[in-house]
Amino acid sequence: MNIAENIRKYREMVPANVEIVAVSKFHPVSAIMETYEAGQRSFGESRVQEFLEKEKMMPSDIKWHFIGHLQTNKVKPIIGKTSLIESVDSIRLLELIERESAKAGVVTSILLQVHVAAEEEKFGFFPDELKEYLKEGSFRNLKNVNICGIMGMATNTEDGNRVRADFAALHSIYQEVKDMYGSELPKFRHLSMGMSGDWPIAVEEGADIVRIGSAIFGDRI
Ligand SMILES: *Cc1c(COP(=O)(O)O)cnc(C)c1O
């Protein structure tokens, strides 16, 4: 598999206004470097230890997106090293990122992960839970976190209608939050959805960030 060729192909297929995050989890630095040399700068990792090791070895102009479930005891080491933490799935995690970012003197950009898929093992705020949190208003106290948008996943199914409905639901939550709180959340403008198997539908439904792993790097070991 020619990884550099794959990334070039994706650059052509994916509309120019949509950011491709190359999901490099489980793949070695050598594979990441092949796409880096082909011009790719945004990468996605899902495990803290693996991310930190790669981050140390790779060029500093990479934009690292953290996309995996983040345990609260693993927040501190990644603060200041990410371009975007896409997988903020609880209020507790959000507030911890705020505190650790304040201590480190940085502002951390995040997406709120929303759960619309059928699988119970997936993470994220349920839509009502997120709306409840925003209504309650304490997000206005966040000084060291920029809420930049919504991330989500569709149900893992062959049923394209279900996938489309999930992405449409994510878009509708994104739009609702933007309409209600956009003036207070000036960075709120990203909708990250779509992976190797379903990104074209996600783009049709309004994604401006897609996270593509196996279609670029091959199967994960
Ligand atoms: C692994 C992963 C991806 C990429 O999945 P592929 O099917 O390999 O493209 C995207 N998003 C998240 C949150 C992931 O964990």
Side-chain angles (χ1 to χ4, degrees):
M1 178 171 266
N2 186 331
I3 300 169
E5 201 49 53
N6 289 347
I7 193 70
R8 284 190 207 102
K9 197 179 76 189
Y10 270 85
R11 288 248 64 90
E12 281 174 23
M13 284 192 298
V14 175
N17 59 323
V18 176
E19 178 177 6
I20 300 173
V21 176
V23 177
S24 47
K25 63 186 187 197
F26 301 100
H27 291 284
V29 162
S30 57
I32 309 181
M33 279 314 290
E34 283 185 54
T35 58
Y36 180 88
E37 275 151 19
Q40 181 66 22
R41 290 295 179 273
S42 298
F43 293 92
E45 287 288 336
S46 63
R47 296 188 307 186
V48 168
Q49 204 52 44
E50 184 181 347
F51 161 59
L52 292 173
E53 282 166 21
K54 288 173 173 171
E55 192 268 343
K56 242 187 309 186
M57 285 189 268
M58 300 281 302
S60 60
D61 64 340
I62 286 181
K63 296 198 285 171
W64 293 103
H65 290 223
F66 194 84
I67 62 169
H69 176 62
L70 191 51
Q71 288 166 289
T72 45
N73 63 345
K74 301 230 173 108
V75 168
K76 190 176 171 168
I78 72 166
I79 293 300
K81 300 191 160 84
T82 58
S83 160
L84 189 61
I85 301 178
E86 296 202 15
S87 44
V88 175
D89 55 11
S90 71
I91 297 164
R92 185 159 166 246
L93 180 58
L94 182 61
E95 290 180 343
L96 186 60
I97 294 172
E98 163 74 14
R99 282 200 301 280
E100 291 298 341
S101 301
K103 274 195 229 161
V106 297
V107 177
T108 300
S109 292
I110 65 110
L111 302 181
L112 298 167
Q113 183 173 355
V114 174
H115 182 123
V116 297
E119 295 93 357
E120 280 181 14
E121 71 270 20
K122 286 192 171 140
F123 291 100
F125 288 88
F126 289 104
D128 286 346
E129 194 187 355
L130 178 58
K131 285 182 225 167
E132 201 49 44
Y133 168 68
L134 291 169
K135 195 169 151 199
E136 172 259 329
S138 64
F139 76 89
R140 295 186 177 95
N141 303 327
L142 300 172
K143 301 276 182 285
N144 293 78
V145 168
N146 275 332
I147 299 179
C148 299
I150 299 288
M151 183 273 254
M153 274 180 261
T155 305
N156 185 9
T157 170
E158 298 292 306
D159 177 4
N161 291 329
R162 171 69 205 238
V163 171
R164 187 176 296 279
D166 286 348
F167 288 146
L170 289 166
H171 188 198
S172 130
I173 295 150
Y174 166 81
Q175 197 58 53
E176 210 175 313
V177 173
K178 183 137 186 95
D179 290 346
M180 288 188 73
Y181 304 102
S183 60
E184 298 173 272
L185 298 172
K187 307 277 182 187
F188 193 92
R189 52 168 184 235
H190 294 298
L191 179 57
S192 172
M193 54 185 197
M195 326 200 304
S196 293
D198 56 16
W199 70 266
I201 305 177
V203 168
E204 283 170 19
E205 295 300 329
D208 78 329
I209 300 176
V210 294
R211 310 176 308 269
I212 300 181
S214 42
I216 294 170
F217 294 107
D219 290 335
R220 287 181 279 275
I221 316 107

